[in-house]
Amino acid sequence: MSGPEEGSPALPTFRPEERVCGNCKLWSPHSVDHRGWVGPCRLQNSRGMFPPSAPLCDKYAPKGSAAPLPVVQGSTRGRTARSVAPVVVRRRADPNDVVDLEGLNMTREELMDIFREASGLSEPPLAAKWEGGTVRLVPGNPELQAKDLPIDNLFHKVTMVRDRLRVLEQKLNAHPKLSEAEKVEMQSYITRVYGSLTSFNVLFKEKADQFVGSKGDE
């Protein structure tokens, strides 16, 4: 369209409180037609030309304020952020892998057996005849009260001593700073301890779990 011709009506003005497009900075005058002054909206071009007296819309921006940004048509789907964190892949340990502990070579499974025994997780079975039994400690003085101890508790303590002795024996045999003579001497002390504990062999169900001392101590 062409601009306004000479003699065109004056551009209408509106009071600030009037909510019409003429008070919106998005509307601008363009030309004059049979309705008077008309112009387009910067954000809604599809409306074409319309007079400033048109009622405002939800995009209304009073003159002197910041105009809203135009809406960009297109895909509104957000991009999924790609993780940059490192991926940690854990390899399952082979129980047959050999572990070197200060010169002591054993498989992971053998080492775990020692840990399980030391923690009581693989406690050997108690002989059936002692299950539910009680050990009574009777003082020499008949006026004193006897002490009853469940055999299960006693057996647990005995097996804990056995397991710790086995771990000590393994550490002793693998110690890098001990001479062979020193290892033999210390091993003899452990063997004597085993011999002192053979009295508790009667509690074990399996013979393989029992204490074994020197020939004279058994």
Side-chain angles (χ1 to χ4, degrees):
M1 291 185 180
S2 61
E5 299 179 355
E6 186 177 354
S8 297
L11 183 67
T13 58
F14 304 92
R15 296 187 302 276
E17 65 272 14
E18 291 187 77
R19 301 176 64 80
V20 293
C21 288
N23 280 337
C24 178
K25 66 185 308 177
L26 299 177
W27 182 89
S28 59
H30 179 270
S31 58
V32 175
D33 65 10
H34 64 281
R35 295 169 294 178
W37 278 98
V38 293
C41 175
R42 289 165 53 191
L43 290 186
Q44 302 186 54
N45 293 327
S46 60
R47 292 182 63 180
M49 300 289 182
F50 56 91
S53 58
L56 55 83
C57 65
D58 58 355
K59 306 297 183 182
Y60 174 70
K63 292 179 179 180
S65 65
L69 295 176
V71 178
V72 178
Q73 300 296 328
S75 175
T76 59
R77 185 190 311 171
R79 293 185 179 180
T80 303
R82 183 169 61 91
S83 174
V84 295
V87 178
V88 179
V89 179
R90 293 186 177 181
R91 182 178 67 87
R92 184 178 180 84
D94 186 347
N96 295 318
D97 285 348
V98 177
V99 180
D100 184 6
L101 299 175
E102 297 183 354
L104 173 62
N105 292 328
M106 61 175 64
T107 65
R108 289 181 180 273
E109 188 62 27
E110 291 171 338
L111 180 60
M112 289 305 301
D113 285 341
I114 294 177
F115 289 151
R116 284 191 287 265
E117 288 181 359
S119 63
L121 297 178
S122 61
E123 190 170 288
L126 176 68
K129 66 179 180 178
W130 303 115
E131 292 179 358
T134 303
V135 175
R136 169 160 290 195
L137 305 178
V138 181
N141 186 347
E143 297 181 358
L144 299 178
Q145 186 177 3
K147 173 70 174 180
D148 290 338
L149 177 68
I151 291 182
D152 288 344
N153 290 2
L154 174 63
F155 183 65
H156 174 71
K157 295 180 184 300
V158 169
T159 54
M160 290 292 286
V161 171
R162 183 205 65 169
D163 295 338
R164 282 168 171 76
L165 282 173
R166 288 183 176 180
V167 174
L168 176 61
E169 191 173 18
Q170 294 281 357
K171 287 181 174 290
L172 173 64
N173 291 333
H175 201 290
K177 296 184 179 181
L178 293 176
S179 66
E180 289 302 317
E182 290 172 326
K183 291 180 181 180
V184 170
E185 180 183 1
M186 293 185 180
Q187 180 64 50
S188 67
Y189 288 114
I190 295 178
T191 301
R192 292 175 189 175
V193 174
Y194 281 139
S196 300
L197 295 171
T198 54
S199 299
F200 295 105
N201 282 347
V202 67
L203 299 175
F204 290 89
K205 180 178 181 180
E206 304 293 341
K207 185 174 179 61
D209 295 324
Q210 297 177 354
F211 294 102
V212 178
S214 60
K215 291 296 183 180
D217 294 330
E218 292 182 359

